[in-house]
Amino acid sequence: DDFGLAPALERLTETFAEQTGIAVELESRLPETRMPSEVETVLYRVVQEALTNVVKHARAERVSILLRERDGRVAAVIEDDGRGFPLEAEAGEGLGLLGMRERVALVDGRLDVESAAGSGTTIVVDVPLR
């Protein structure tokens, strides 16, 4: 809360990598100015849940996180090189993905999941800056 989204995610990803041994690359192209706190909180929690899912399900070795702001919107792209899952399984998605979708919807955003068995998973979040 005190330092903003990018520094909070840097700390989160460093701790995650130390605890799990999974390499994380974080690239932030966010402006220096702070975003609305509810947007920062939603993005932080989505990244946090995505990392939790990587540990629980993906068997990944690497995770990449990209944050960028453009045209009054913020996007976060979280990719892993894990085992992925067939998207039909998303219909019965667990509480993690459901919780992410609900959080993003609260700030009028969108969450998309791209995955296939054996090819990793990509989560794309797009949120308007109000």
Side-chain angles (χ1 to χ4, degrees), residues 40-83:
E40 288 185 342
T41 299
V42 164
L43 291 172
Y44 181 88
R45 295 294 181 200
V46 167
V47 170
Q48 186 178 46
E49 183 61 35
L51 291 174
T52 297
N53 287 346
V54 166
V55 171
K56 285 183 176 179
H57 308 293
R59 296 187 189 149
E61 294 179 12
R62 303 189 67 75
V63 179
S64 169
I65 302 165
L66 170 64
L67 299 159
R68 71 174 188 275
E69 184 269 332
R70 187 171 60 208
D71 300 328
R73 303 186 73 79
V74 176
V77 179
I78 306 121
E79 294 182 291
D80 70 60
D81 66 353
R83 63 186 183 152

Side-chain angles (χ1 to χ4, degrees), residues 58 80-90 113-122:
D80 70 60
D81 66 353
R83 63 186 183 152
F85 60 93
L87 283 179
E88 309 84 67
E90 189 184 352
V113 178
E114 300 169 11
S115 190
S119 68
T121 300
T122 302

